[in-house]
Amino acid sequence: MAEYDYDLFVIGAGSGGVRAARLASELGARVGIAEEYRIGGTCVIRGCVPKKLLVYGSQYGSDFADARGFGWTCQDVRFDWPTLIHNVKREVDRLNGVYTRTLERAGVDRFLTRAVLQSPHEVKLADRDATLSAKTILVASGSHPMIPDLPGKEHLISSNECFELEQLPGSMVIIGAGYIGMEFASIFAGLGVAVTVLYRGDQILRDFDMDLRDGLAEAMRNRGVDLRVETDVASVEREGHGYRVRLKRGDSIAADRVMAAAGRRPNTMGLGLEKIGVALGWDGRLVVDEFSKSAVDNIYAVGDVTHRMNLTPVAIHEATAFAETLFNDTPTPVDHSFIPTAVFSQPEIGTVGLSEEKAREMYRRVDIYKAQFRPLRAMVSGRDEKMLMKLVVDMESDKVLGCHILGGDAAEIVQMAAVALKLGVTKAQLDKTMALHPSAAEELVTMRHKWEAPAPVAGSDAAA
Ligand SMILES: Cc1cc2nc3c(=O)[nH]c(=O)nc-3n(C[C@H](O)[C@H](O)[C@H](O)COP(=O)(O)OP(=O)(O)OC[C@H]3O[C@@H](n4cnc5c(N)ncnc54)[C@H](O)[C@@H]3O)c2cc1C
C-alpha cells in the first residue's frame, strides 16, 4: 500500500495550481487538488481574462469617436452594461469548464472545498471530517485584494465585485493607482462613467518608468479621468443611494460606487503554514527558494502566494519548473529577469526590463533613446494623443536594459521586444534591424539619437 494518498496535493486551482497538477499527473504522479471558489483562479474568473474583455468593450467608445475622421457616421451609439457583463460571464463560465476538463482528462482528483495544512504531509478539507496525505504539497493559493483600513471600509468594493455589478454606476471613485486601478479607471471612463482616482503617492504606477507614469497620467486626464495624486482618504460614508468619500485635507467627493485598488496580499492566512514551520515574509508572502521550495522540505509554493511577480505567465512558468524539478528529474530554477508586463489602460502600456531610474541606480552609465510622436491613425482621427517609445541602454556593453511603450498595441509590441531583451540584444543590433513600415513599432529600430547625454560624473570620463 502506498505510504501517502497522493504523490502531490495542490492547494488552489488557479493558473499555477492547475498547470502543476496537470503536468505532474501527466508525468505519472497521483495528484489531488482543492479549490475553494472556482477552478481557473483569479486570471480566468476575476482577473486578466474578464478584465481584458471589459477593456475591449470600453474601447469602442473612443473607436466610434475616432471613426468620424475616417468618414464614418456613428449616430445613436448606445451602450448596454448588462449585455457586456452577461457576455463576459458566459466566456468565464466556458473557460471554467475548459480548466475543469483539463484536470479531469489528466486524471487529477478534484475537491471543490477549502484545504488547510494539518501537518507537513496532511491536508484537511473543509467539507469532510477526514484528512488526506501527500508526499509533496504545493501551495498555489494566490492573493486577494487589500481593503484599506479606514472608517467606512465596508462600503468599498474591489476588482472582484466590479465583475458582478448589475448596473453601470454614473460615477466612481477609485482609491489607489497601481495597474489594476488604472485599468478599471480606463474601463469605466471609456464607458462614460465619471471617474475620480485618489492616490496618496506623488505619481501613479509606482515602480514603472517615470516617463510612462507621467505620460499615462497626462493622457488619462485628457480623456476625462479626474486623477488626484498626493490625496489621502479619511473615510467613506453612505449618502443617499451612493457614497461620500471624505479626504484628509477636508473636502469630499460624492460617488455611486467606491472601489479599492490598493494592492493585493498573498493568501497565506489560516492555512496552517506557520505552525508547521513554513516561513512567511512581512507581507504574508510564502518564502521560497529558486526551486519554489519553502522552509519545509516537502512543501512548495508557486504564483501570487509567493509574491515574486504577480502575473499569470509567471505563476504558470513557476509551476512548470516545479513539475520538471520534482516529477521529471530535471532541476529547473526559475529565472525572473526580463518579464514583460502591460497596463491595459487607455492608452496602453507595455514594458520590459529596467526603468530608467532603476538602471541609473544599477549601472555606471546609461543611455536613453526616446521617441514621442502622434501615431499615423491620430493624424486623421484627430485624437490629440502622443505615443511614447523608450529604450534604456547600458553604455558600456550597449545592451538594451529596458523597453517602455505608451500607446496603441504597446502590449503586443513589447511581447516581441522581450524576446530580444532576454537574448541580450544590443542597441547596435536593433539599429541593424530593418524597420517595418508604416508601423509604430518601427521606432524601436530607428531611434538614432540619444535623448540626453548622461550627467557628467566627477572624476570619470562619462561626458567624453
Ligand atoms: C483584476 C486583475 C487583473 C489582472 N490582470 C492580469 C493581466 O492582465 N496579466 C497578468 O499576467 N496577470 C494579471 N493579473 C494577475 C493574475 O491574475 C495572477 O497573477 C494569477 O492569477 C496568479 O495565479 P495563482 O495560481 O498564483 O493564483 P490564483 O489564480 O489566484 O489561484 C489561486 C486559487 O486558490 C484558491 N484558494 C485559495 N486558498 C485556498 C484554500 N485554502 N483551499 C482551496 N483553494 C484555495 C483560490 O480560490 C484561487 O482560485 C490580474 C489580477 C487581477 C486581480
Side-chain angles (χ1 to χ4, degrees), residues 11-17 34-38 41-43 46-48 51 113-115 140-143 159 179-180 184 264 267 271 302-304 310-313 315 344:
I11 300 180
S15 307
E35 170 53 54
E36 67 177 347
Y37 183 55
R38 292 183 74 188
T42 304
C43 170
R46 44 195 186 185
C48 335
K51 182 258 329 253
T113 185
R114 181 170 171 79
S141 52
S143 60
S159 57
Y179 85 95
I180 292 177
F184 277 93
R264 294 178 66 85
N267 285 335
L271 273 184
V302 295
D304 282 15
N310 296 347
L311 293 167
T312 290
F344 292 104

Side-chain angles (χ1 to χ4, degrees), residues 144-150 153-154 156-158 161 260 262-263:
H144 61 274
M146 201 182 77
I147 301 295
D149 192 16
L150 46 87
K153 64 182 177 190
E154 65 279 10
L156 300 175
I157 60 170
S158 71
E161 289 76 32

Side-chain angles (χ1 to χ4, degrees), residues 159-386:
S159 57
N160 288 350
E161 289 76 32
C162 287
F163 298 115
E164 302 292 335
L165 290 176
E166 283 174 11
Q167 296 300 328
L168 188 65
S171 56
M172 184 142 197
V173 165
I174 297 177
I175 303 172
Y179 85 95
I180 292 177
M182 292 301 96
E183 291 178 339
F184 277 93
S186 293
I187 289 168
F188 286 117
L191 296 175
V193 177
V195 177
T196 306
V197 175
L198 306 175
Y199 179 52
R200 67 151 78 116
D202 62 354
Q203 186 55 292
I204 63 168
L205 292 178
R206 192 159 54 92
D207 295 338
F208 281 70
D209 186 274
M210 204 53 177
D211 281 319
L212 294 179
R213 300 169 72 186
D214 290 342
L216 181 63
E218 188 187 332
M220 286 182 66
R221 286 194 178 105
N222 288 341
R223 286 185 181 228
V225 176
D226 180 2
L227 201 67
R228 306 189 195 179
V229 292
E230 295 176 332
T231 303
D232 246 331
V233 175
S235 65
V236 180
E237 301 157 11
R238 194 96 228 195
E239 187 178 82
H241 293 296
Y243 303 90
R244 181 155 293 278
V245 180
R246 297 207 179 274
L247 306 180
K248 283 203 177 150
R249 60 170 173 248
D251 48 341
S252 69
I253 307 160
D256 292 340
R257 289 283 182 172
V258 187
M259 174 191 180
R264 294 178 66 85
R265 285 278 179 269
N267 285 335
T268 46
M269 270 196 16
L271 273 184
L273 291 162
E274 295 103 312
K275 73 170 192 279
I276 58 170
V278 173
L280 301 184
W282 66 269
D283 52 3
R285 77 180 66 189
L286 203 159
V287 179
V288 289
D289 67 13
E290 58 184 334
F291 294 99
S292 298
K293 183 156 83 163
S294 78
V296 175
D297 262 358
N298 73 304
I299 298 182
Y300 288 71
V302 295
D304 282 15
V305 72
T306 63
H307 209 61
R308 284 174 279 185
M309 189 123 185
N310 296 347
L311 293 167
T312 290
V314 178
I316 291 174
H317 202 92
E318 290 166 357
T320 307
F322 159 80
E324 283 293 319
T325 303
L326 264 87
F327 300 101
N328 205 24
D329 237 359
T330 314
T332 309
V334 180
D335 173 8
H336 287 93
S337 64
F338 292 112
I339 296 172
T341 184
V343 182
F344 292 104
S345 45
Q346 294 166 41
E348 184 173 293
I349 281 178
T351 174
V352 60
L354 298 180
S355 65
E356 177 180 345
E357 296 72 35
K358 196 83 208 158
R360 288 199 187 283
E361 275 171 39
M362 293 171 62
Y363 288 79
R364 228 159 64 84
R365 296 181 297 180
V366 170
D367 281 337
I368 301 299
Y369 295 83
K370 255 195 267 191
Q372 219 172 0
F373 55 95
R374 276 184 84 192
L376 187 57
R377 182 178 144 131
M379 298 303 181
V380 174
S381 73
R383 183 165 293 280
D384 185 17
E385 207 163 82
K386 289 211 175 76

Side-chain angles (χ1 to χ4, degrees), residues 59-138:
Q59 278 169 342
Y60 280 99
S62 51
D63 286 350
F64 284 129
D66 289 357
R68 290 192 196 107
F70 291 90
W72 291 88
T73 305
C74 306
Q75 270 167 349
D76 209 16
V77 173
R78 265 175 286 176
F79 169 71
D80 183 52
W81 171 261
T83 302
L84 174 61
I85 213 74
H86 169 82
N87 290 342
V88 169
K89 280 183 178 174
R90 196 179 52 195
E91 174 58 10
V92 166
D93 290 347
R94 190 187 70 80
L95 289 170
N96 172 238
V98 169
Y99 275 71
T100 305
R101 283 191 296 280
T102 297
L103 290 172
E104 214 169 68
R105 269 199 302 271
V108 175
D109 286 347
R110 298 164 317 284
F111 301 91
L112 290 180
T113 185
R114 181 170 171 79
V116 297
L117 284 145
Q118 192 96 309
S119 75
H121 290 285
E122 283 174 308
V123 287
K124 166 96 184 63
L125 300 181
D127 68 348
R128 65 199 70 191
D129 220 11
T131 54
L132 292 171
S133 63
K135 184 167 182 219
T136 302
I137 291 175
L138 178 70

